[in-house]
Amino acid sequence: MRDLSRRMVLSFPFVAALLGRTSAFAQGAAKPADTEWRYYAGTAASNRYAPLEQINAKNFNDLELAWRFKPDMLGPRPEYVYETTPLLIKGKLYTTAGSRRAVVSLDAASGEMIWMHSLDEGERGRNAPRQYSGHGVSYWTDGNEARILYVTPGYQLVALDATTGIPVQDFGVNGVVDLKKDDDQEIDLVTGEVGLHSTPMIIKDVAVVGAAHLSGGAPRTRKNVNGYVRGFDVRTGKRKWIFHTIPRKGEFGYDSWAVPGQAEATGNAGVWAQMSADPELGLVYLPVELPTGDYNGQYRAGNALFGESIVAVDAETGQRKWHYQLVHHGLWDNDIPCASILCDIPVNGKTVKALAQPTKQSFLYVLNRETGEPVWPIRETKVPKGNVPGEWYAPTQPVPSKPPAYDRQGVSIDDLIDFTPALRAEAEKLVKNYTIGGMWTPPTLAVAGGNRGTLHAPSSTGGTNWPGGAYDPDTHIVYVFSQSIVSNYGVIKNSNTDVSDFDYVSGVPGQAVQPTRPMGAPRPAPAARAAAPAAGGGDGEGGGAPTVQGLPLLKPPYGRITAIDLTKGEHAWQIAHGETPDNIKNHPALKGLKIPRTGRPGLLGPLCTKSLVICGEAGFAITPTGARGAMLRAYDKATGEEKGAVYMPAPQTGSPMTYMLGGEQYLVVATGGGSTSAELLAYRLPRS
Amino acid sequence: MKRLFVMSAAFAVFALTAAAQETRSAWSGVYTAAQAERGKVLFTENCARCHGDNLAGIEMAPALSGSSFLSNWNGENVANLVDRIRTTMPADDPGKLSRVSATDLTAFILASNAMPAGEFELARDQPLQAAIRIDALKPN
């Protein structure tokens, strides 16, 4: 044994010299083994964690592009919003790509395309409520056979042979399961308003598939398609179970609908976000969105389960094990936008199998994932009512006692821009036109010449959105990105039933209600069409949130990363993430002021490695070299101190992943935006 | 002779590039109010259902007004914005909008970001649009 180790020590410098390479692994003891990334967020626990340290604080700035993959020609046109995190299995990357959501297998060392699969769904695809390439693909193997599964824009579940990309003939019909069929409801195969851009959750031999719809400020109809969740046999494509996210008569939760008949007459309540799963417990964790009406709940009175609830279901049967409603009768479009982070944490000397749920509302809800019980008390707290006729208001909302919120909640005078007293004064004057208050202040009636609505933070896009967070299983710290921006929630009376069958909808007084309809569906008759919206102009009269001389209404940071220590339920650190936007940095009203980095708003997911938290920036800026683009930044995960930054030609749009291959660590991130089309960038350290 | 030709060609390229770099800001009145009105109608027909009736965007569709739009397009030229619209939008039927329509829509987007109208319409020609710079802030 001793001999062997000595031989290794002796022979190693020789090998390094022989190869003539000085790559980082040459400094270590042995060539590190290849690693894998089998799920969208690394594992079924959605930890987005890889214990790799070849890329570290000392060398992050040395990173260079290993390869780039440009999916422009994989669809009928280029794509600009590339949300994928690729999978890495046995040296090959698997991802969706391009505007038609093709699936590709790439050589993970060179980026070379090995195979490509694409399904042209024609009109059905063009009608999809969720277009483009989506979040990526899923992987299944029994150790012998290996499959790649994904959901098309037109809502079909496809299984491909991982080696060849050819549809698996004994799955569904020639490799395809039509998800608009066998869903306990009638759905028009071409125009039915349902799809999915998330990846199926694979647990053992079951593929769990959710549903996504259009956003619902002024829904066409309260009886939209239901977003049920189903489990499919991953070998045959046969449906094993269905979970009704709006309970049917006799099912658990039906009684939470206060007005008889409404549960039957309401749609949505999809699971559009990523899911997590615990194969040991045999549970899948479903983040359920609202029933129809994102800001208007007139037709879903009561707590109306399972709106905005985490539901744990048995992966084999779909039976509900427990649920926890994060928001009662939500009126803020909080959804639950991302996967629960599954974590085993020490609490009072015992290890608790927990889950931590990042949210748009910037609470991290921590629950026991076996029982659904809060790890720290979550107290029902009295909340205010609004003034929309016919609306039902929950008297209380559950408020976590720990950990503290990780971003701004609600809008008060103290939250307003305060770079100078003059800007604050202007902001104070602007918000007089609106209702402001704590985070549970509901949307309000917008009236011509009067109240313009409720200014609300976090906005309808968070806080944290679909990318979710990361978790370090060694230190029990969650890392989450969030943004501080404002939405305006104004409600108006709807008089045009051709546009929506809701009595009250989101809108701007004096402007006709904008129709929500599936893309490609027949356009409403001219009489039903809305008048054009007014140009915004910045004061919010057009319905958007107001700005102050083009500056954000709230004070910075506009984007931040928070480290949350789950051994204590406290923040470990918090930093502004993203360089100050150019239009703020160079704003004439701020001339001569020294403004610390403000961070930038966006929808971002961090990656955690052995020593770093890595996250790209949202939005373009002129980078330190003068090049237009964005930076991929690395922070010391213990302190939040920035350790390095490398240039990307466009902002991060999909969360980064990492892997070790052939002794080299790669970092892969999806980018795009503005006039720069989608691209996958792979970084590694220089070889010499 | 051949070398001379190569040199003059290089000079011509340089001259063209230099001309193309003589840009003006989109804040200098590069479209007309009537053109933005036409763009507004097109916006309602084709864009509002995803980008929002207030151009504020949703998860899938970015904001077309305000700080994040201005940051994203700061330093870009108008031709790239017109081409992005013309070749990829609306998402369910890209290519449907003519260059003239995409140009009118762009005029509406500039108006929605408080950039003032001017005396002359935004021309549909790519090289002319490429000479107009989108600045996040009004230049002094």
Side-chain angles (χ1 to χ4, degrees):
Chain A
M1 189 65 191
R2 185 175 289 172
D3 278 355
L4 186 67
S5 53
R6 185 185 295 166
R7 203 180 308 147
M8 278 179 68
V9 171
L10 280 170
S11 63
F12 191 75
F14 171 70
V15 172
L18 194 71
L19 292 173
R21 287 155 56 137
T22 55
S23 65
F25 80 77
Q27 296 153 22
K31 181 168 152 175
D34 290 356
T35 61
E36 298 201 327
W37 188 278
R38 288 193 174 200
Y39 286 81
Y40 169 76
T43 64
S46 300
N47 285 358
R48 212 166 270 285
Y49 172 72
L52 300 178
E53 54 184 342
Q54 186 181 88
I55 296 171
N56 56 46
K58 286 201 180 80
N59 60 26
F60 195 86
N61 280 334
D62 300 334
L63 283 176
E64 52 188 38
L65 279 172
W67 50 263
R68 313 165 72 146
F69 178 72
K70 194 85 181 164
D72 278 4
M73 308 317 287
L74 293 179
R77 58 192 184 277
E79 172 182 44
Y80 293 80
V81 190
Y82 196 13
E83 299 182 349
T84 191
T85 297
L87 309 188
L88 187 278
I89 297 117
K90 294 193 173 85
K92 294 188 180 71
L93 282 170
Y94 299 92
T95 180
T96 47
S99 53
R100 184 169 277 149
R101 201 176 297 173
V103 179
V104 295
S105 168
L106 308 178
D107 181 311
S110 68
E112 181 184 0
M113 192 162 80
I114 297 164
W115 55 253
M116 188 276 282
H117 155 93
S118 174
L119 203 58
D120 183 353
E121 298 178 290
E123 196 61 16
R124 177 174 174 155
R126 283 188 288 277
N127 282 339
R130 302 292 165 135
Q131 303 266 340
Y132 307 122
S133 60
H135 295 172
V137 299
S138 306
Y139 174 77
W140 170 84
T141 185
D142 58 4
N144 186 24
E145 196 187 341
R147 294 179 179 183
I148 297 297
L149 291 98
Y150 82 108
V151 177
T152 64
Y155 208 39
Q156 305 193 73
L157 176 63
V158 181
L160 306 170
D161 181 295
T163 313
T164 63
I166 293 169
V168 178
Q169 292 305 302
D170 53 2
F171 181 89
V173 179
N174 298 324
V176 179
V177 170
D178 190 331
L179 294 169
K180 288 189 177 177
K181 294 178 180 167
D182 200 15
D183 196 25
D184 291 7
Q185 60 187 320
E186 286 299 313
I187 303 174
D188 187 291
L189 296 186
V190 176
T191 60
E193 200 250 272
V194 61
L196 186 68
H197 50 313
S198 283
T199 64
M201 171 48 73
I202 309 292
I203 169 167
K204 295 175 185 168
D205 293 338
V206 182
V208 185
V209 178
H213 310 273
L214 292 172
S215 68
R220 172 73 194 82
T221 172
R222 51 189 95 142
K223 183 67 193 113
N224 197 12
V225 176
N226 281 94
Y228 295 143
V229 181
R230 282 167 288 174
F232 295 89
D233 184 319
V234 78
R235 293 174 190 273
T236 62
K238 196 169 170 290
R239 179 179 125 178
K240 286 173 76 92
W241 53 262
I242 187 165
F243 178 75
H244 298 134
T245 52
I246 295 177
R248 296 187 163 193
K249 197 166 186 174
E251 292 178 341
F252 181 94
Y254 182 77
D255 298 344
S256 66
W257 288 70
V259 174
Q262 285 190 346
E264 289 82 355
T266 303
N268 294 73
V271 173
W272 62 261
Q274 296 293 139
M275 304 171 198
S276 293
D278 185 333
E280 259 179 50
L281 297 175
L283 296 177
V284 183
Y285 300 94
L286 313 178
V288 186
E289 60 154 11
L290 280 174
T292 310
D294 285 349
Y295 313 98
N296 297 284
Q298 303 106 293
Y299 309 107
R300 48 178 176 85
N303 284 347
L305 292 174
F306 290 93
E308 294 182 343
S309 304
I310 299 171
V311 186
V313 299
D314 184 299
E316 284 299 317
T317 64
Q319 289 295 309
R320 173 194 150 280
K321 177 90 183 288
W322 58 260
H323 78 278
Y324 196 93
Q325 189 170 50
L326 303 187
V327 181
H328 303 318
H329 191 83
L331 297 168
W332 303 268
D333 192 21
N334 285 322
D335 295 310
I336 300 179
C338 56
S340 304
I341 294 167
L342 309 191
C343 46
D344 295 347
I345 56 172
V347 181
N348 300 330
K350 280 204 295 200
T351 298
V352 176
K353 283 179 185 289
L355 67 76
Q357 180 66 59
T359 54
K360 284 187 183 175
Q361 61 266 35
S362 302
F363 276 129
L364 185 77
Y365 296 82
V366 186
L367 307 176
N368 180 316
R369 72 174 183 272
E370 293 181 275
T371 64
E373 290 297 316
V375 168
W376 293 287
I378 296 180
R379 296 190 182 95
E380 289 295 332
T381 306
K382 268 190 88 170
V383 296
K385 281 186 172 185
N387 63 355
V388 176
E391 186 57 86
W392 190 92
Y393 294 97
T396 63
Q397 293 289 356
V399 176
S401 57
K402 270 183 164 188
Y406 54 84
D407 210 314
R408 214 176 286 286
Q409 294 177 322
V411 177
S412 68
I413 295 295
D414 189 46
D415 295 314
L416 303 178
I417 182 171
D418 64 350
F419 292 127
T420 67
L423 288 168
R424 166 59 72 83
E426 204 172 319
E428 279 189 45
K429 201 172 147 205
L430 269 174
V431 301
K432 286 202 173 112
N433 300 317
Y434 299 85
T435 302
I436 60 170
M439 71 175 291
W440 304 111
T441 308
T444 43
L445 280 175
V447 188
N451 178 53
R452 293 180 187 173
T454 300
L455 289 181
H456 195 265
S459 76
S460 59
T461 57
T464 304
N465 210 313
W466 57 265
Y471 171 71
D472 181 342
D474 295 331
T475 59
H476 309 293
I477 291 180
V478 164
Y479 301 95
V480 66
F481 172 86
S482 59
Q483 59 177 358
S484 272
I485 55 172
V486 170
S487 280
N488 178 20
Y489 298 149
V491 177
I492 57 172
K493 174 101 176 119
N494 173 39
S495 52
N496 190 340
T497 51
D498 289 337
V499 169
S500 170
D501 62 10
F502 272 57
D503 260 355
Y504 286 86
V505 294
S506 299
V508 182
Q511 287 180 20
V513 176
Q514 297 298 313
T516 307
R517 59 178 173 75
M519 292 182 187
R523 282 159 207 273
R529 277 187 212 154
D539 73 347
E541 212 166 9
T547 55
V548 182
Q549 296 183 26
L551 292 166
L553 182 68
L554 301 181
K555 36 184 195 195
Y558 309 124
R560 58 183 101 183
I561 293 175
T562 308
I564 304 169
D565 182 348
L566 294 187
T567 66
K568 300 179 193 145
E570 290 168 7
H571 293 179
W573 51 259
Q574 186 173 72
I575 50 152
H577 174 67
E579 193 46 87
T580 306
D582 294 336
N583 60 323
I584 295 171
K585 207 184 267 176
N586 305 321
H587 198 282
L590 309 180
K591 220 172 180 174
L593 293 179
K594 204 170 157 60
I595 293 168
R597 184 181 279 183
T598 62
R600 295 215 285 264
L603 313 181
L604 297 173
L607 165 72
C608 181
T609 69
K610 197 75 187 162
S611 56
L612 300 173
V613 172
I614 298 166
C615 193
E617 290 180 319
F620 285 90
I622 305 302
T623 60
T625 60
R628 203 178 113 83
M631 304 304 283
L632 180 64
R633 296 186 188 276
Y635 305 96
D636 181 329
K637 73 176 183 183
T639 63
E641 189 190 338
E642 184 164 319
K643 292 297 183 183
V646 291
Y647 172 78
M648 303 184 290
Q652 170 175 317
T653 49
S655 310
M657 53 84 76
T658 188
Y659 54 91
M660 188 64 80
L661 183 64
E664 293 176 291
Q665 188 185 350
Y666 291 78
L667 202 54
V668 174
V669 60
T671 63
S675 65
T676 308
S677 58
E679 190 171 32
L680 218 49
L681 303 177
Y683 293 89
R684 63 162 154 63
L685 293 168
R687 286 178 171 163
S688 58
Chain B
M1 184 60 191
K2 198 174 176 186
R3 182 180 291 175
L4 189 65
F5 173 76
V6 170
M7 280 180 67
S8 62
F11 177 74
V13 168
F14 173 75
L16 273 173
T17 313
Q21 279 169 354
E22 256 176 49
T23 59
R24 62 189 177 123
S25 174
W27 288 85
S28 61
V30 298
Y31 66 89
T32 65
Q35 190 176 23
E37 281 301 315
R38 294 200 303 269
K40 197 156 123 176
V41 174
L42 287 163
F43 183 87
T44 306
E45 276 285 289
N46 298 287
C47 323
R49 68 182 184 274
C50 293
H51 291 279
D53 51 8
N54 49 31
L55 291 81
I58 56 170
E59 275 99 341
M60 299 285 291
L64 298 176
S65 73
S67 190
S68 74
F69 171 80
L70 288 169
S71 288
N72 278 345
W73 287 87
N74 185 31
E76 272 284 3
N77 68 54
V78 165
N80 283 341
L81 179 54
V82 171
D83 277 327
R84 168 86 193 266
I85 295 169
R86 194 179 62 85
T87 56
T88 70
M89 293 290 138
D92 60 332
D93 194 8
K96 169 194 172 194
L97 296 165
S98 65
R99 185 155 197 108
V100 172
S101 296
T103 301
D104 289 351
L105 268 168
T106 300
F108 172 63
I109 293 170
L110 298 179
S112 301
N113 284 282
M115 297 179 194
E119 204 180 332
F120 299 104
E121 290 211 340
L122 179 60
R124 69 171 178 174
D125 308 78
Q126 197 274 348
L128 297 177
Q129 294 176 349
I132 302 173
R133 199 178 58 248
I134 301 173
D135 294 310
L137 291 169
K138 188 178 178 177
N140 290 322

